[in-house]
Coordinates of all heavy atoms in Angstrom, one line a residue:
M1 N 99.2 -56.3 129.8 CA 98.7 -56.6 131.0 C 97.2 -56.6 131.0 O 96.7 -55.6 130.4 CB 99.3 -55.6 132.1 CG 98.7 -55.8 133.5 SD 99.1 -54.7 134.8 CE 100.6 -53.9 134.3
T2 N 96.6 -57.5 131.7 CA 95.1 -57.5 131.6 C 94.5 -56.4 132.5 O 95.2 -55.9 133.4 CB 94.6 -58.9 132.0 OG1 94.9 -59.1 133.4 CG2 95.2 -60.0 131.2
I3 N 93.3 -56.1 132.2 CA 92.6 -55.1 133.1 C 92.5 -55.6 134.4 O 92.6 -54.9 135.4 CB 91.2 -54.9 132.4 CG1 91.3 -54.4 131.0 CG2 90.4 -54.0 133.3 CD1 91.3 -52.9 130.8
L4 N 92.2 -56.9 134.6 CA 92.0 -57.4 136.0 C 93.3 -57.3 136.8 O 93.2 -56.9 138.0 CB 91.6 -58.9 135.9 CG 91.4 -59.6 137.2 CD1 90.2 -58.9 138.0 CD2 90.9 -61.1 137.0
K5 N 94.4 -57.5 136.2 CA 95.7 -57.3 136.9 C 95.9 -55.9 137.4 O 96.3 -55.6 138.4 CB 96.9 -57.8 136.0 CG 97.3 -59.2 136.2 CD 98.7 -59.4 135.4 CE 99.1 -60.7 135.2 NZ 100.3 -60.9 134.4
T6 N 95.6 -55.0 136.4 CA 95.8 -53.6 136.7 C 94.9 -53.2 137.9 O 95.4 -52.5 138.8 CB 95.5 -52.8 135.5 OG1 96.3 -53.2 134.4 CG2 95.7 -51.4 135.7
I7 N 93.7 -53.6 137.9 CA 92.7 -53.3 138.9 C 93.2 -53.9 140.3 O 93.2 -53.2 141.3 CB 91.3 -53.8 138.6 CG1 90.8 -53.0 137.4 CG2 90.4 -53.7 139.8 CD1 89.5 -53.5 136.8
L8 N 93.6 -55.1 140.3 CA 94.1 -55.8 141.5 C 95.3 -55.1 142.1 O 95.3 -54.8 143.2 CB 94.4 -57.2 141.1 CG 94.8 -58.2 142.2 CD1 93.7 -58.4 143.2 CD2 95.3 -59.5 141.7
I9 N 96.2 -54.8 141.2 CA 97.5 -54.1 141.7 C 97.2 -52.7 142.2 O 97.7 -52.2 143.2 CB 98.6 -54.1 140.6 CG1 99.0 -55.5 140.3 CG2 99.7 -53.2 141.0 CD1 99.5 -56.3 141.5
T10 N 96.3 -52.0 141.5 CA 96.0 -50.6 141.9 C 95.3 -50.6 143.2 O 95.6 -49.8 144.1 CB 95.1 -50.0 140.8 OG1 95.8 -50.0 139.5 CG2 94.8 -48.5 141.2
G11 N 94.4 -51.5 143.4 CA 93.7 -51.7 144.7 C 94.6 -51.9 145.8 O 94.5 -51.4 146.9
A12 N 95.6 -52.9 145.6 CA 96.5 -53.1 146.6 C 97.4 -51.9 147.0 O 97.7 -51.6 148.1 CB 97.4 -54.3 146.2
L13 N 97.8 -51.2 145.9 CA 98.6 -50.1 146.1 C 97.9 -49.0 146.9 O 98.4 -48.3 147.8 CB 99.2 -49.6 144.8 CG 100.3 -50.3 144.2 CD1 100.8 -49.8 142.9 CD2 101.5 -50.4 145.2
V14 N 96.6 -48.8 146.5 CA 95.8 -47.8 147.2 C 95.7 -48.1 148.6 O 95.8 -47.3 149.6 CB 94.4 -47.6 146.5 CG1 93.5 -46.8 147.3 CG2 94.6 -46.9 145.1
A15 N 95.3 -49.3 148.9 CA 95.2 -49.9 150.3 C 96.4 -49.6 151.2 O 96.3 -49.2 152.3 CB 94.8 -51.3 150.3
T16 N 97.6 -49.9 150.6 CA 98.8 -49.8 151.3 C 99.3 -48.3 151.4 O 99.8 -47.8 152.3 CB 99.9 -50.6 150.8 OG1 100.1 -50.3 149.5 CG2 99.6 -52.1 151.0
A17 N 99.1 -47.6 150.3 CA 99.6 -46.2 150.2 C 98.8 -45.2 151.0 O 99.3 -44.3 151.6 CB 99.6 -45.7 148.7
T18 N 97.5 -45.5 151.1 CA 96.7 -44.6 152.0 C 97.0 -44.6 153.5 O 96.8 -43.6 154.2 CB 95.2 -44.8 151.8 OG1 94.9 -46.2 152.1 CG2 94.7 -44.5 150.4
A19 N 97.5 -45.8 153.9 CA 97.9 -45.9 155.3 C 99.3 -45.5 155.5 O 99.8 -45.5 156.6 CB 97.7 -47.3 155.7
A20 N 100.1 -45.1 154.5 CA 101.5 -44.8 154.6 C 101.8 -43.5 155.4 O 102.9 -43.3 155.6 CB 102.1 -44.7 153.3
V21 N 100.8 -42.8 155.9 CA 101.1 -41.6 156.7 C 101.4 -41.9 158.1 O 102.0 -41.0 158.7 CB 99.8 -40.7 156.6 CG1 100.2 -39.2 156.6 CG2 99.0 -40.9 155.3
A22 N 101.0 -43.0 158.5 CA 101.1 -43.3 160.1 C 102.5 -43.6 160.6 O 102.7 -43.4 161.8 CB 100.1 -44.3 160.4
G23 N 103.4 -44.2 159.8 CA 104.7 -44.5 160.4 C 105.5 -45.5 159.7 O 105.1 -45.9 158.6
P24 N 106.5 -46.0 160.3 CA 107.5 -46.8 159.6 C 106.8 -48.2 159.1 O 107.2 -48.7 158.1 CB 108.6 -47.1 160.6 CG 108.3 -46.3 161.7 CD 107.0 -45.6 161.6
I25 N 105.9 -48.7 159.9 CA 105.2 -50.0 159.5 C 104.5 -49.7 158.3 O 104.6 -50.6 157.4 CB 104.4 -50.5 160.7 CG1 105.2 -50.9 161.9 CG2 103.5 -51.6 160.2 CD1 104.5 -51.4 163.0
D26 N 103.8 -48.6 158.2 CA 103.0 -48.3 157.0 C 103.9 -48.0 155.8 O 103.6 -48.4 154.7 CB 102.0 -47.2 157.3 CG 101.0 -47.6 158.3 OD1 100.5 -48.7 158.2 OD2 100.7 -46.7 159.2
N27 N 105.0 -47.3 156.0 CA 105.9 -47.0 154.9 C 106.4 -48.3 154.3 O 106.5 -48.5 153.1 CB 107.1 -46.2 155.4 CG 106.7 -44.8 155.8 OD1 105.6 -44.3 155.4 ND2 107.4 -44.1 156.6
R28 N 106.7 -49.3 155.2 CA 107.3 -50.5 154.8 C 106.2 -51.3 153.9 O 106.5 -51.8 152.8 CB 107.7 -51.4 155.9 CG 108.3 -52.7 155.5 CD 108.9 -53.4 156.6 NE 109.5 -54.7 156.2 CZ 109.9 -55.6 157.0 NH1 109.9 -55.4 158.3 NH2 110.5 -56.7 156.5
Q29 N 105.0 -51.2 154.4 CA 103.9 -51.8 153.6 C 103.7 -51.2 152.3 O 103.5 -51.9 151.3 CB 102.5 -51.6 154.5 CG 101.4 -52.3 153.9 CD 101.2 -53.8 154.3 OE1 102.1 -54.3 154.9 NE2 100.1 -54.4 153.9
A30 N 103.8 -49.9 152.2 CA 103.8 -49.2 150.9 C 104.9 -49.6 150.0 O 104.7 -49.8 148.7 CB 103.7 -47.7 151.1
R31 N 106.1 -49.7 150.5 CA 107.3 -50.1 149.7 C 107.1 -51.5 149.2 O 107.4 -51.8 148.0 CB 108.5 -50.0 150.5 CG 109.1 -48.6 150.7 CD 110.4 -48.5 151.2 NE 110.7 -49.3 152.3 CZ 110.5 -49.0 153.6 NH1 110.1 -47.8 153.9 NH2 110.8 -49.9 154.6
Q32 N 106.5 -52.4 149.9 CA 106.3 -53.7 149.5 C 105.3 -53.8 148.4 O 105.4 -54.5 147.4 CB 106.0 -54.7 150.6 CG 107.2 -54.9 151.5 CD 106.8 -55.8 152.7 OE1 105.7 -56.1 153.1 NE2 107.9 -56.3 153.3
G33 N 104.2 -53.0 148.5 CA 103.2 -52.9 147.5 C 103.9 -52.4 146.2 O 103.5 -52.8 145.1
Q34 N 104.8 -51.4 146.3 CA 105.5 -50.9 145.1 C 106.4 -52.0 144.4 O 106.4 -52.1 143.3 CB 106.3 -49.7 145.5 CG 105.5 -48.5 145.8 CD 106.4 -47.4 146.4 OE1 107.5 -47.5 146.7 NE2 105.7 -46.2 146.6
R35 N 107.0 -52.8 145.3 CA 107.8 -53.9 144.7 C 106.9 -54.9 144.0 O 107.3 -55.4 142.9 CB 108.5 -54.6 145.9 CG 109.7 -53.8 146.5 CD 110.3 -54.5 147.7 NE 110.7 -55.8 147.4 CZ 110.8 -56.8 148.3 NH1 110.5 -56.6 149.6 NH2 111.3 -58.0 148.0
I36 N 105.7 -55.2 144.5 CA 104.8 -56.1 143.8 C 104.4 -55.5 142.4 O 104.5 -56.1 141.4 CB 103.6 -56.4 144.7 CG1 104.0 -57.2 146.0 CG2 102.5 -57.2 143.9 CD1 102.9 -57.3 146.9
Y37 N 104.0 -54.2 142.5 CA 103.6 -53.5 141.3 C 104.7 -53.5 140.3 O 104.5 -53.7 139.1 CB 103.3 -52.1 141.6 CG 102.8 -51.3 140.4 CD1 101.5 -51.6 139.8 CD2 103.5 -50.3 139.8 CE1 101.1 -50.9 138.7 CE2 103.2 -49.6 138.7 CZ 101.9 -49.9 138.1 OH 101.5 -49.2 137.1
Q38 N 106.0 -53.3 140.7 CA 107.2 -53.3 139.8 C 107.4 -54.7 139.2 O 107.7 -54.8 138.0 CB 108.4 -52.8 140.5 CG 109.7 -52.7 139.7 CD 110.4 -54.0 139.5 OE1 110.4 -54.8 140.3 NE2 111.1 -54.1 138.4
G39 N 107.1 -55.7 140.0 CA 107.2 -57.1 139.5 C 106.2 -57.4 138.4 O 106.4 -58.1 137.4
V40 N 105.0 -56.8 138.6 CA 103.9 -57.1 137.6 C 104.3 -56.3 136.3 O 104.3 -56.9 135.2 CB 102.6 -56.6 138.1 CG1 101.5 -56.6 137.0 CG2 102.2 -57.5 139.3
Q41 N 104.8 -55.1 136.4 CA 105.2 -54.2 135.3 C 106.2 -54.9 134.5 O 106.3 -54.8 133.3 CB 105.5 -52.8 135.8 CG 104.4 -52.0 136.3 CD 103.4 -51.7 135.3 OE1 102.4 -52.4 135.2 NE2 103.6 -50.7 134.5
S42 N 107.3 -55.4 135.2 CA 108.5 -56.0 134.5 C 108.1 -57.4 134.0 O 108.9 -58.0 133.2 CB 109.6 -56.1 135.5 OG 109.4 -57.1 136.5
G43 N 107.0 -58.0 134.3 CA 106.6 -59.3 133.9 C 107.3 -60.5 134.7 O 107.1 -61.6 134.3
R44 N 107.9 -60.1 135.8 CA 108.5 -61.2 136.6 C 107.5 -61.9 137.5 O 107.8 -63.0 137.9 CB 109.5 -60.6 137.5 CG 110.8 -60.2 136.8 CD 111.8 -59.5 137.7 NE 113.1 -59.4 137.1 CZ 114.2 -60.1 137.4 NH1 114.1 -61.0 138.4 NH2 115.3 -60.0 136.8
L45 N 106.3 -61.3 137.7 CA 105.3 -62.0 138.5 C 104.2 -62.5 137.7 O 103.6 -61.7 136.8 CB 104.8 -61.0 139.6 CG 105.7 -60.6 140.7 CD1 105.1 -59.6 141.6 CD2 106.1 -61.8 141.5
T46 N 103.7 -63.7 137.9 CA 102.6 -64.2 137.1 C 101.3 -63.7 137.9 O 101.3 -63.2 139.0 CB 102.6 -65.7 137.1 OG1 102.4 -66.2 138.4 CG2 103.8 -66.3 136.5
Y47 N 100.2 -64.0 137.2 CA 98.9 -63.5 137.8 C 98.7 -64.2 139.2 O 98.4 -63.6 140.2 CB 97.8 -63.9 136.9 CG 96.4 -63.5 137.5 CD1 95.9 -62.2 137.6 CD2 95.6 -64.6 138.0 CE1 94.8 -62.0 138.1 CE2 94.4 -64.2 138.6 CZ 94.0 -62.9 138.6 OH 92.7 -62.6 139.2
G48 N 99.0 -65.6 139.2 CA 98.8 -66.3 140.4 C 99.8 -65.8 141.6 O 99.3 -65.7 142.8
E49 N 101.0 -65.6 141.2 CA 101.9 -65.0 142.2 C 101.4 -63.6 142.7 O 101.6 -63.4 143.9 CB 103.3 -64.9 141.6 CG 103.9 -66.2 141.3 CD 105.2 -66.1 140.5 OE1 105.4 -65.1 139.8 OE2 106.0 -67.0 140.6
T50 N 101.0 -62.9 141.8 CA 100.5 -61.5 142.2 C 99.3 -61.6 143.2 O 99.3 -60.9 144.2 CB 100.1 -60.7 141.0 OG1 101.2 -60.7 140.0 CG2 99.7 -59.3 141.3
V51 N 98.4 -62.5 142.9 CA 97.3 -62.6 143.8 C 97.7 -63.1 145.2 O 97.2 -62.6 146.2 CB 96.3 -63.7 143.1 CG1 95.2 -64.1 144.2 CG2 95.6 -63.2 141.9
Q52 N 98.6 -64.0 145.2 CA 99.1 -64.5 146.5 C 99.8 -63.4 147.3 O 99.5 -63.2 148.5 CB 100.1 -65.6 146.3 CG 99.4 -66.9 145.9 CD 100.5 -68.0 145.6 OE1 101.8 -67.7 145.6 NE2 100.1 -69.2 145.3
L53 N 100.6 -62.6 146.6 CA 101.3 -61.5 147.3 C 100.3 -60.4 147.7 O 100.5 -59.8 148.9 CB 102.3 -60.9 146.4 CG 103.5 -61.8 146.0 CD1 104.4 -61.3 145.0 CD2 104.3 -62.1 147.3
V54 N 99.3 -60.2 146.9 CA 98.4 -59.1 147.3 C 97.5 -59.6 148.5 O 97.2 -58.8 149.4 CB 97.5 -58.7 146.2 CG1 96.2 -57.9 146.6 CG2 98.3 -58.0 145.1
Q55 N 97.2 -60.8 148.5 CA 96.5 -61.4 149.7 C 97.3 -61.3 151.0 O 96.8 -61.0 152.0 CB 96.1 -62.8 149.4 CG 95.0 -63.0 148.5 CD 94.7 -64.5 148.1 OE1 95.5 -65.3 148.3 NE2 93.6 -64.7 147.5
G56 N 98.6 -61.5 150.8 CA 99.5 -61.4 152.0 C 99.5 -60.0 152.5 O 99.5 -59.6 153.7
Q57 N 99.6 -59.0 151.5 CA 99.6 -57.6 151.9 C 98.3 -57.3 152.6 O 98.2 -56.5 153.6 CB 99.7 -56.7 150.6 CG 101.1 -56.7 150.0 CD 102.1 -56.1 150.9 OE1 102.9 -56.8 151.6 NE2 102.2 -54.8 150.8
T58 N 97.1 -57.8 152.2 CA 95.8 -57.5 152.7 C 95.7 -58.2 154.2 O 95.3 -57.5 155.1 CB 94.8 -58.2 151.9 OG1 94.8 -57.7 150.5 CG2 93.4 -57.9 152.4
R59 N 96.4 -59.4 154.4 CA 96.5 -59.9 155.7 C 97.2 -59.0 156.7 O 96.8 -58.8 157.8 CB 97.0 -61.3 155.6 CG 96.0 -62.4 155.2 CD 96.5 -63.8 155.5 NE 97.8 -64.0 154.6 CZ 97.7 -64.5 153.4 NH1 96.6 -64.7 152.8 NH2 98.9 -64.7 152.8
I60 N 98.3 -58.5 156.2 CA 99.2 -57.6 157.1 C 98.4 -56.4 157.4 O 98.5 -55.8 158.5 CB 100.5 -57.3 156.3 CG1 101.4 -58.6 156.3 CG2 101.3 -56.3 157.2 CD1 102.6 -58.5 155.5
Q61 N 97.7 -55.8 156.4 CA 97.0 -54.6 156.6 C 95.8 -54.9 157.7 O 95.6 -54.1 158.6 CB 96.3 -54.1 155.3 CG 95.5 -52.9 155.4 CD 96.5 -51.7 155.7 OE1 97.6 -51.7 155.3 NE2 96.0 -50.7 156.3
A62 N 95.2 -56.1 157.6 CA 94.2 -56.4 158.6 C 94.8 -56.5 160.0 O 94.2 -56.1 161.0 CB 93.5 -57.7 158.2
M63 N 96.0 -57.1 160.1 CA 96.7 -57.2 161.4 C 96.9 -55.8 162.0 O 96.8 -55.6 163.1 CB 98.1 -57.9 161.2 CG 98.0 -59.4 161.0 SD 99.7 -60.1 160.6 CE 100.5 -59.8 162.2
K64 N 97.4 -54.8 161.1 CA 97.7 -53.5 161.5 C 96.4 -52.9 162.0 O 96.3 -52.2 163.1 CB 98.3 -52.7 160.4 CG 99.7 -53.1 160.1 CD 100.4 -52.2 159.3 CE 99.6 -51.8 158.0 NZ 100.4 -51.0 157.0
M65 N 95.3 -53.1 161.4 CA 94.0 -52.4 161.7 C 93.5 -53.0 163.1 O 93.0 -52.2 163.9 CB 92.9 -52.7 160.7 CG 93.3 -52.0 159.4 SD 93.7 -50.3 159.5 CE 92.0 -49.6 159.6
R66 N 93.7 -54.4 163.3 CA 93.3 -55.0 164.6 C 94.2 -54.4 165.6 O 93.7 -54.1 166.7 CB 93.4 -56.4 164.5 CG 92.3 -57.1 163.8 CD 92.3 -58.6 164.0 NE 93.5 -59.3 163.6 CZ 93.8 -59.7 162.4 NH1 92.8 -59.6 161.4 NH2 94.9 -60.3 162.0
A67 N 95.5 -54.2 165.4 CA 96.4 -53.7 166.5 C 96.1 -52.3 166.8 O 96.2 -52.0 168.0 CB 97.9 -53.8 165.9
R68 N 95.6 -51.5 165.9 CA 95.3 -50.1 166.1 C 93.9 -49.9 166.6 O 93.5 -48.8 167.0 CB 95.5 -49.4 164.8 CG 96.8 -49.2 164.4 CD 96.9 -48.2 163.2 NE 98.3 -48.1 162.7 CZ 98.6 -48.0 161.5 NH1 97.7 -48.1 160.5 NH2 99.8 -47.9 161.1
A69 N 93.1 -50.9 166.7 CA 91.7 -50.8 167.1 C 91.5 -50.2 168.5 O 90.6 -49.4 168.8 CB 91.0 -52.1 167.0
D70 N 92.4 -50.5 169.4 CA 92.3 -50.0 170.7 C 93.1 -48.7 171.0 O 93.2 -48.1 172.1 CB 92.9 -51.0 171.7 CG 94.3 -51.4 171.6 OD1 94.9 -50.9 170.6 OD2 94.8 -52.1 172.4
G71 N 93.6 -48.1 169.9 CA 94.3 -46.8 169.8 C 95.8 -46.9 170.2 O 96.5 -45.9 170.3
F72 N 96.3 -48.1 170.4 CA 97.7 -48.2 170.8 C 98.3 -49.5 170.3 O 97.6 -50.6 170.4 CB 97.8 -48.2 172.4 CG 99.2 -48.4 172.8 CD1 100.2 -47.4 172.7 CD2 99.6 -49.7 173.4 CE1 101.5 -47.7 173.2 CE2 100.9 -49.9 173.9 CZ 101.8 -48.8 173.8
V73 N 99.4 -49.6 169.7 CA 100.0 -50.7 169.2 C 101.1 -51.1 170.1 O 102.2 -50.4 170.3 CB 100.7 -50.5 167.8 CG1 101.3 -51.8 167.2 CG2 99.6 -50.0 166.8
D74 N 101.0 -52.2 170.9 CA 101.9 -52.6 171.9 C 103.1 -53.3 171.3 O 103.0 -53.7 170.1 CB 101.2 -53.4 173.0 CG 100.8 -54.8 172.6 OD1 101.4 -55.4 171.7 OD2 99.7 -55.2 172.9
P75 N 104.2 -53.4 172.0 CA 105.4 -54.0 171.4 C 105.2 -55.5 170.8 O 105.8 -55.8 169.8 CB 106.4 -54.0 172.6 CG 105.9 -53.0 173.4 CD 104.5 -53.0 173.3
W76 N 104.3 -56.2 171.5 CA 104.0 -57.6 171.0 C 103.4 -57.5 169.6 O 103.7 -58.3 168.7 CB 103.2 -58.3 172.0 CG 102.7 -59.6 171.6 CD1 101.4 -60.0 171.2 CD2 103.4 -60.8 171.4 NE1 101.3 -61.2 170.8 CE2 102.6 -61.9 170.9 CE3 104.8 -61.2 171.6 CZ2 103.0 -63.1 170.7 CZ3 105.2 -62.5 171.4 CH2 104.3 -63.4 170.9
E77 N 102.4 -56.7 169.5 CA 101.7 -56.5 168.2 C 102.6 -56.0 167.1 O 102.6 -56.5 166.0 CB 100.5 -55.6 168.3 CG 99.4 -56.1 169.2 CD 98.3 -55.0 169.5 OE1 98.7 -53.8 169.7 OE2 97.1 -55.4 169.7
R78 N 103.5 -55.0 167.5 CA 104.4 -54.5 166.5 C 105.4 -55.6 166.1 O 105.7 -55.7 164.9 CB 105.2 -53.3 167.2 CG 106.2 -52.6 166.2 CD 106.7 -51.4 166.8 NE 105.7 -50.4 167.4 CZ 105.2 -49.5 166.6 NH1 105.4 -49.4 165.3 NH2 104.3 -48.7 167.1
A79 N 105.9 -56.4 167.0 CA 106.8 -57.6 166.6 C 106.1 -58.5 165.7 O 106.8 -59.0 164.7 CB 107.3 -58.3 167.8
R80 N 104.8 -58.8 165.9 CA 104.1 -59.8 165.0 C 103.9 -59.2 163.6 O 104.1 -59.8 162.7 CB 102.7 -60.1 165.6 CG 102.8 -61.0 166.8 CD 101.3 -61.5 167.2 NE 100.8 -62.2 166.1 CZ 99.5 -62.1 165.7 NH1 98.7 -61.3 166.3 NH2 99.0 -62.8 164.7
I81 N 103.7 -57.9 163.6 CA 103.5 -57.2 162.2 C 104.8 -57.1 161.5 O 104.9 -57.4 160.3 CB 102.9 -55.8 162.5 CG1 101.4 -55.9 163.0 CG2 103.0 -55.0 161.2 CD1 100.9 -54.6 163.4
N82 N 105.9 -56.9 162.3 CA 107.2 -56.8 161.7 C 107.6 -58.2 161.1 O 108.2 -58.3 160.1 CB 108.3 -56.3 162.6 CG 108.3 -54.7 162.7 OD1 108.0 -54.1 161.6 ND2 108.6 -54.3 163.8
A83 N 107.3 -59.3 161.9 CA 107.6 -60.6 161.5 C 106.8 -60.9 160.2 O 107.4 -61.6 159.2 CB 107.3 -61.6 162.5
A84 N 105.6 -60.6 160.1 CA 104.8 -60.8 159.0 C 105.3 -60.1 157.8 O 105.3 -60.6 156.6 CB 103.3 -60.4 159.2
Q85 N 105.7 -58.9 158.0 CA 106.3 -58.1 156.9 C 107.7 -58.6 156.4 O 107.9 -58.6 155.2 CB 106.4 -56.6 157.3 CG 105.1 -55.9 157.3 CD 105.3 -54.5 157.7 OE1 106.1 -54.1 158.5 NE2 104.4 -53.6 157.2
D86 N 108.4 -59.2 157.3 CA 109.7 -59.9 156.9 C 109.3 -61.1 156.0 O 110.0 -61.3 155.0 CB 110.5 -60.3 158.2 CG 111.1 -59.2 159.0 OD1 111.2 -58.1 158.5 OD2 111.4 -59.5 160.1
W87 N 108.4 -61.8 156.4 CA 108.0 -63.0 155.6 C 107.4 -62.6 154.3 O 107.8 -63.2 153.2 CB 106.9 -63.8 156.4 CG 106.5 -65.1 155.8 CD1 105.4 -65.4 155.2 CD2 107.4 -66.3 155.7 NE1 105.4 -66.7 154.7 CE2 106.6 -67.3 155.0 CE3 108.7 -66.6 156.2 CZ2 107.1 -68.4 154.7 CZ3 109.1 -67.9 155.9 CH2 108.4 -68.8 155.2
Q88 N 106.7 -61.5 154.3 CA 106.1 -61.0 153.0 C 107.2 -60.5 152.1 O 107.2 -60.8 150.9 CB 105.0 -60.0 153.2 CG 104.4 -59.4 152.0 CD 103.5 -60.3 151.3 OE1 103.3 -61.5 151.7 NE2 103.0 -59.9 150.2
S89 N 108.2 -59.9 152.7 CA 109.3 -59.4 151.9 C 110.1 -60.6 151.2 O 110.4 -60.4 150.0 CB 110.2 -58.5 152.8 OG 111.4 -58.1 152.0
L90 N 110.3 -61.6 152.0 CA 111.0 -62.8 151.4 C 110.1 -63.4 150.3 O 110.6 -63.8 149.3 CB 111.2 -63.8 152.5 CG 111.9 -65.1 152.1 CD1 113.2 -64.8 151.6 CD2 111.9 -66.1 153.3
N91 N 108.8 -63.4 150.5 CA 107.9 -64.0 149.5 C 108.0 -63.2 148.2 O 108.0 -63.8 147.1 CB 106.4 -64.1 150.0 CG 106.2 -65.2 151.0 OD1 106.9 -66.2 150.9 ND2 105.2 -65.0 151.8
I92 N 108.1 -61.9 148.3 CA 108.0 -61.0 147.2 C 109.4 -61.4 146.4 O 109.4 -61.6 145.3 CB 108.0 -59.6 147.5 CG1 106.6 -59.3 148.1 CG2 108.3 -58.7 146.3 CD1 106.5 -57.9 148.7
W93 N 110.5 -61.5 147.1 CA 111.8 -61.7 146.5 C 111.8 -63.0 145.8 O 112.3 -63.1 144.6 CB 112.9 -61.6 147.6 CG 114.3 -61.6 146.9 CD1 115.0 -60.6 146.5 CD2 115.0 -62.9 146.6 NE1 116.2 -61.0 145.8 CE2 116.2 -62.4 145.9 CE3 114.8 -64.2 146.8 CZ2 117.2 -63.3 145.5 CZ3 115.8 -65.1 146.3 CH2 116.9 -64.7 145.7
V94 N 111.3 -64.1 146.5 CA 111.3 -65.4 146.0 C 110.5 -65.4 144.7 O 110.9 -66.0 143.6 CB 110.8 -66.4 146.9 CG1 110.6 -67.8 146.3 CG2 111.9 -66.6 148.1
K95 N 109.3 -64.8 144.7 CA 108.4 -65.0 143.6 C 108.9 -64.2 142.4 O 108.7 -64.5 141.2 CB 107.0 -64.5 144.0 CG 106.3 -65.6 144.9 CD 104.9 -65.2 145.1 CE 104.3 -66.1 146.2 NZ 104.6 -67.5 146.1
K96 N 109.6 -63.0 142.7 CA 110.2 -62.3 141.6 C 111.4 -62.9 141.0 O 111.8 -62.5 139.8 CB 110.5 -60.9 142.1 CG 109.3 -60.0 142.3 CD 109.7 -58.6 142.8 CE 110.4 -57.7 141.8 NZ 110.6 -56.3 142.4
H97 N 112.1 -63.8 141.7 CA 113.3 -64.4 141.2 C 113.2 -65.9 140.9 O 114.3 -66.6 140.8 CB 114.4 -64.1 142.2 CG 114.8 -62.7 142.3 ND1 114.1 -61.8 143.2 CD2 115.7 -61.9 141.6 CE1 114.7 -60.6 143.1 NE2 115.6 -60.6 142.1
N98 N 112.1 -66.4 140.8 CA 112.0 -67.8 140.5 C 111.9 -68.2 138.9 O 111.8 -67.3 138.1 CB 110.7 -68.5 141.1 CG 109.4 -67.9 140.6 OD1 109.4 -67.0 139.7 ND2 108.3 -68.4 141.2

């Protein structure tokens, strides 16, 4: 595995794992980061696929930060984040099994 891949995956895991203390949405984000990392370790994910998945994780993290900016995550925001995580989960599965 190249150094760049390792740095990229480690950065994604740190970003998702540090937020994992706050609740179920964050726990799911951390688990998805672990799934991506496992895909890289096993060789099932190419560099391009990994970059796409990490960018998706970053977008979801940004959604969560915007939702929390006012100190409260309303049901509409939570539903949007859950839908984005559902989509990301499907993307991870598809890219690991293609």
